[in-house]
Amino acid sequence: MKTRYLAGTSLAVMGAGFLITLFLPQNLAVRLLQGGFEAGLVGGFADWFAVTALFRHPMGIPIPHTSLLLQNRNKIINSLISALETELLNKDSITKKLRQIKLFKGLSSGILKLVSRKKIRLKVIDTVSDVIRQVPLEQMTPAVQKAMVKFLQSQDLSPVLESVSRQAFRSKVDEKALNYILNFAGRWVSQPENEYMLGQLAHNKLQEIQLNGMKGFALQAMLGFMSEEKLGNILKNLILSSLHEMSYEDSPFRQRILAEVRQQVSDFTENPEVAERLKGMIGDKLADSGTEQWLLSKLEEIRARVLLILEQEQINGGRGIIKMYRWITNNLRGKEEMMDRWEQGILSLIVQAVEANYYRIGLLVRDNLDQLDDESLVQMLEEKVGGDLQWIRVNGAICGFLIGLVLTVIHMIIA
């Protein structure tokens, strides 16, 4: 340490000067220098003793009230921790500073600086690609499958079914389904073979009717001149007319059918047995071994697509990262209240974590200091503050020399 050598040199100069003046012819100048060197030697030696006594016993002699740092080690550590916790890093000051942080503003500016550099963007893409390639899909798939089954078992599907039915009614899915059925029925009836089949069915069923008297005679007479083709044509026209009528929204028959459908769907979705049965069916399907293979293939397909996108992004220089950043910032712009709520929520969590673990600061300092033995602790302190302390020795020698000159002059005047 240069200051230590300088301090030692100053003390040696004072001692050598004092010894030399003892053998010189005594005159005014020699007496002044002798007094100055003598006082400088005393001052330098006294300050050397004081500085050395802080860290160790001077000259290895266990003089009382020396080696102060080691003798008061625990007291100094406790005082340091107390000052750290109550003055330097007290809980209130940390909390106040944390709540003043503009978290999102700092993050936004930092991220912008990073994504503006092409090297950083490419490095991010490479890192993400490597991470995705290293994902063990074969080992992960059974866990994903079990998680899906467990999640399904913990859910109540009744609200989901009711929500789906309400959304279907709002979207008029029931009316669209009825229109599809009416159109399909109209096309089916209009086909010649189906028309003939209806006439044939009706003709056969009418022949099976057993009536007596005039009613039976009239029925047989009608069947005599009414062929299957004619009867099928009549039925087709009746059905098409009915279907056409039900295609109008104000048709009472249409409204009755839709009301019945909605009631049946509502009863179905509100039935807890239906929800449990549906849950069991989905759970059995998810737990099936074939589902695991299906999940694995889908996950591999997703990974391949993501890697392809990242590869293309690599070729483009990572411009997609900048576009993503701009898209996020544009969507968040104008939503200051929401951003403030998020920011305060995150900062509150950080503050709670600090308050819950604040005592660990003192424990950490104590643990680190306790790991140092006496020699290491003294060496560390000497490295940090020893240089400044050595200047005390230098100043002591110089000040002693000057004071010695003054005292010698005063002594000569009085004598």
Side-chain angles (χ1 to χ4, degrees), residues 33 38-39 58 71 101 157 186 204 316 324 358 371 404:
L33 289 174
E38 181 181 6
Q71 290 186 7
I101 294 176
L157 297 185
N204 293 336
N316 294 332
M324 182 184 299
Y358 180 75
Q371 291 176 6

Side-chain angles (χ1 to χ4, degrees), residues 1-17:
M1 201 180 287
K2 294 182 179 181
T3 53
R4 176 178 295 180
Y5 296 135
L6 181 61
T9 301
S10 66
L11 184 60
V13 168
M14 296 301 164

Side-chain angles (χ1 to χ4, degrees), residues 7-150:
T9 301
S10 66
L11 184 60
V13 168
M14 296 301 164
F18 176 71
L19 291 175
I20 292 173
T21 56
L22 291 177
F23 300 98
L24 293 177
Q26 297 297 311
N27 52 46
L28 179 62
V30 172
R31 290 178 60 187
L32 284 173
L33 289 174
Q34 186 178 17
F37 284 129
E38 181 181 6
L41 180 62
V42 173
F45 187 79
D47 287 338
W48 167 83
F49 184 90
V51 171
T52 304
L54 287 174
F55 302 102
R56 56 180 63 85
H57 296 298
M59 295 180 292
I61 302 173
I63 303 172
H65 303 293
T66 58
S67 188
L68 298 177
L69 291 176
L70 297 181
Q71 290 186 7
N72 298 275
R73 175 171 178 157
N74 291 331
K75 186 184 297 184
I76 293 173
I77 292 175
N78 292 333
S79 299
L80 177 63
I81 294 174
S82 177
L84 188 67
E85 292 179 344
T86 59
E87 301 295 337
L88 302 177
L89 291 175
N90 62 77
K91 188 186 299 184
D92 294 335
S93 66
I94 294 176
T95 302
K96 184 178 180 181
K97 289 295 183 182
L98 285 174
R99 293 193 180 279
Q100 292 175 351
I101 294 176
K102 297 299 182 181
L103 183 62
F104 288 156
K105 184 177 181 180
L107 285 175
S108 177
S109 60
I111 293 174
L112 179 59
K113 292 179 181 178
L114 291 176
V115 301
S116 299
R117 300 172 59 185
K118 182 178 179 179
K119 183 178 180 180
I120 298 295
R121 297 197 303 269
L122 296 180
K123 184 65 176 177
V124 170
I125 295 173
D126 288 338
T127 303
V128 174
S129 299
D130 291 338
V131 170
I132 293 176
R133 289 190 187 96
Q134 297 300 324
V135 174
L137 296 182
E138 293 79 3
Q139 291 79 15
M140 189 178 71
T141 302
V144 173
Q145 185 181 19
K146 291 179 181 178
M148 293 173 64
V149 173
K150 185 177 180 180

Side-chain angles (χ1 to χ4, degrees), residues 59-331:
M59 295 180 292
I61 302 173
I63 303 172
H65 303 293
T66 58
S67 188
L68 298 177
L69 291 176
L70 297 181
Q71 290 186 7
N72 298 275
R73 175 171 178 157
N74 291 331
K75 186 184 297 184
I76 293 173
I77 292 175
N78 292 333
S79 299
L80 177 63
I81 294 174
S82 177
L84 188 67
E85 292 179 344
T86 59
E87 301 295 337
L88 302 177
L89 291 175
N90 62 77
K91 188 186 299 184
D92 294 335
S93 66
I94 294 176
T95 302
K96 184 178 180 181
K97 289 295 183 182
L98 285 174
R99 293 193 180 279
Q100 292 175 351
I101 294 176
K102 297 299 182 181
L103 183 62
F104 288 156
K105 184 177 181 180
L107 285 175
S108 177
S109 60
I111 293 174
L112 179 59
K113 292 179 181 178
L114 291 176
V115 301
S116 299
R117 300 172 59 185
K118 182 178 179 179
K119 183 178 180 180
I120 298 295
R121 297 197 303 269
L122 296 180
K123 184 65 176 177
V124 170
I125 295 173
D126 288 338
T127 303
V128 174
S129 299
D130 291 338
V131 170
I132 293 176
R133 289 190 187 96
Q134 297 300 324
V135 174
L137 296 182
E138 293 79 3
Q139 291 79 15
M140 189 178 71
T141 302
V144 173
Q145 185 181 19
K146 291 179 181 178
M148 293 173 64
V149 173
K150 185 177 180 180
F151 176 78
L152 177 66
Q153 292 173 348
S154 64
Q155 300 301 309
D156 182 11
L157 297 185
S158 297
V160 178
L161 293 176
E162 294 175 8
S163 176
V164 170
S165 65
R166 288 194 298 268
Q167 181 62 34
F169 293 151
R170 284 195 295 268
S171 302
K172 298 183 178 181
V173 175
D174 52 343
E175 296 187 26
K176 295 176 182 177
L178 179 59
N179 290 335
Y180 176 80
I181 294 173
L182 294 176
N183 293 330
F184 177 79
R187 292 194 304 271
W188 187 85
V189 170
S190 298
Q191 295 178 5
E193 61 273 15
N194 296 329
E195 176 185 344
Y196 178 77
M197 181 184 67
L198 289 174
Q200 190 177 28
L201 287 174
H203 193 274
N204 293 336
K205 291 301 179 183
L206 289 174
Q207 286 182 339
E208 294 176 0
I209 298 175
Q210 300 294 327
L211 295 176
N212 297 323
M214 293 299 296
K215 292 181 180 180
F217 177 77
L219 178 60
Q220 293 299 323
M222 183 192 71
L223 291 176
F225 66 85
M226 185 69 69
S227 64
E228 288 88 345
E229 290 82 359
K230 292 181 180 180
L231 192 56
N233 183 263
I234 293 173
L235 290 174
K236 180 192 74 172
N237 292 331
L238 289 175
I239 294 173
L240 289 176
S241 177
S242 300
L243 294 175
H244 181 72
E245 182 180 355
M246 284 190 293
S247 64
Y248 293 106
E249 293 186 359
D250 57 351
S251 171
F253 299 106
R254 178 187 180 88
Q255 296 303 322
R256 286 179 60 183
I257 293 174
L258 290 175
E260 184 64 25
V261 169
R262 290 167 182 167
Q263 184 61 45
Q264 292 297 324
V265 171
S266 298
D267 294 342
F268 180 82
T269 56
E270 293 173 1
N271 189 346
E273 294 182 0
V274 173
E276 289 299 321
R277 191 176 304 171
L278 181 61
K279 182 192 295 186
M281 293 172 58
I282 299 176
D284 292 340
K285 185 62 177 177
L286 285 176
D288 187 71
S289 58
T291 303
E292 180 179 345
Q293 295 298 323
W294 180 83
L295 279 175
L296 178 59
S297 64
K298 290 301 178 182
L299 290 175
E300 290 177 344
E301 181 180 342
I302 292 172
R303 175 162 64 181
R305 290 183 179 179
V306 172
L307 289 175
L308 183 61
I309 293 173
L310 291 174
E311 182 180 351
Q312 186 63 40
E313 192 61 33
Q314 183 87 13
I315 297 173
N316 294 332
R319 295 191 185 94
I321 297 178
I322 300 178
K323 293 180 181 178
M324 182 184 299
Y325 172 79
R326 290 175 178 172
W327 179 80
I328 294 174
T329 54
N330 290 334
N331 281 299

